[in-house]
Amino acid sequence: MRIGFIGLGVMGVPMALNLIRAGHDLTVHRIKERSKVLVEEGAVAAPSAQEVARRSEVVILMLPDTPDVEQVLTAEDGVVAGLAPGTLVIDMSSISPVATVDLARRVHDAGGEYVDAPVSGGDVGARDGTLTIFVGGSDAAVGRALPLLDLMGRTITHMGPVGAGQATKVVNQIIVALTIEAVAEGMAVAEASGIDPATVREALSGGFASSRVLELHGQRMIDRAFEPGFRIRLHRKDLGIALASAEHYGAELPGTAAVARQMDQALARSWGELDHSALFRVLDGGHG
């Protein structure tokens, strides 16, 4: 297929590579040092998002935040301006589910189809094609998207209509954030008590406290190994989306608000580019 891919960051580059290596023709935008490999592998660089859309049957977005997606889609030289009738837009960014519904309407009004398909699994999952993908959209649009999503992910679930994928990602980010904070508190208490945190982690791995976060991020906390991964500043962005969405839907998120404040402390200490497991540093006085 002729695919456009916009958003060539830590996650986007390996995701795009998996599509190229599966035999698809890619058009990309904003080539930088990290993404030169895509051109070397056969991708074609286009000067604008509009031109990407003109050259593509499917346009995939993997951008940092809601305003970035809005800009790329709706700017004068954006994707919507270049859409041919029937073009499918797949937004794999993590953005507001409320804004997603409006953006999908704009794409539909221009004659296109829209699927929201945010991911979980980090840079390793992007590289290995094992991402978990939460999908929102019509049955027909999702059916068109699935062969491509299968090349990038392992666990792919159609959650419901447009916006349902983003809403599910909000749930995911809430649970991950609060679990990281819980593991960080546990590791901090273990150290303060004079117990070997590595032994604590191992002992808990067979019990009810066991989790993927304890396994991976618990070890990061023990080793003080906070290279990203998934950056604190991006997870804080996601918690902002969660809090705004909860206000829109009339839900209360006191735990999420508390973790967001802790992440704000990390950002204030210039730790935003560290892995989100570095939330532990807020609790250990920044010594890790």
Side-chain angles (χ1 to χ4, degrees), residues 27-223:
T27 301
V28 295
H29 180 43
R30 294 177 181 165
I31 292 292
K32 298 181 180 178
E33 189 63 35
R34 177 194 287 125
S35 49
K36 285 181 180 178
V37 63
L38 298 175
V39 176
E40 294 167 0
E41 292 273 349
V44 175
S48 68
Q50 181 179 16
E51 185 61 24
V52 170
R54 282 179 178 157
R55 298 171 64 99
S56 305
E57 302 166 75
V58 178
V59 178
I60 297 174
L61 309 180
M62 188 62 182
L63 296 160
D65 204 350
T66 306
D68 303 296
V69 175
E70 290 176 339
Q71 174 68 19
V72 164
L73 283 177
T74 65
E76 185 176 345
D77 61 348
V79 168
V80 169
L83 284 182
T87 301
L88 174 63
V89 175
I90 306 175
D91 180 27
M92 304 188 76
S93 321
S94 294
I95 70 168
S96 164
V98 179
T100 290
V101 174
D102 179 63
L103 293 171
R105 178 188 57 77
R106 298 195 200 188
V107 169
H108 291 151
D109 289 349
E113 295 185 274
Y114 194 98
V115 165
D116 54 298
V119 306
S120 179
D123 57 328
V124 174
R127 184 190 67 227
D128 295 343
T130 58
L131 293 166
T132 296
I133 307 177
F134 315 113
V135 187
S138 70
D139 289 344
V142 172
R144 287 183 63 191
L146 277 176
L148 301 178
L149 300 180
D150 281 336
L151 297 173
M152 296 179 281
R154 177 177 293 165
T155 304
I156 302 165
T157 308
H158 186 187
M159 304 305 304
V162 164
Q166 296 293 356
T168 305
K169 181 59 185 290
V170 165
V171 174
N172 183 83
Q173 296 305 81
I174 290 169
I175 292 172
V176 171
L178 269 67
T179 306
I180 288 174
E181 203 280 336
V183 171
E185 287 194 11
M187 292 295 102
V189 169
E191 290 193 351
S193 303
I195 308 169
D196 177 19
T199 303
V200 170
R201 174 182 166 277
E202 184 65 28
L204 297 181
S205 66
F208 208 51
S210 178
S211 71
R212 187 72 167 155
V213 170
L214 177 63
E215 176 189 350
L216 295 181
H217 291 329
Q219 190 64 52
R220 285 177 180 264
M221 294 171 194
I222 292 165
D223 295 339

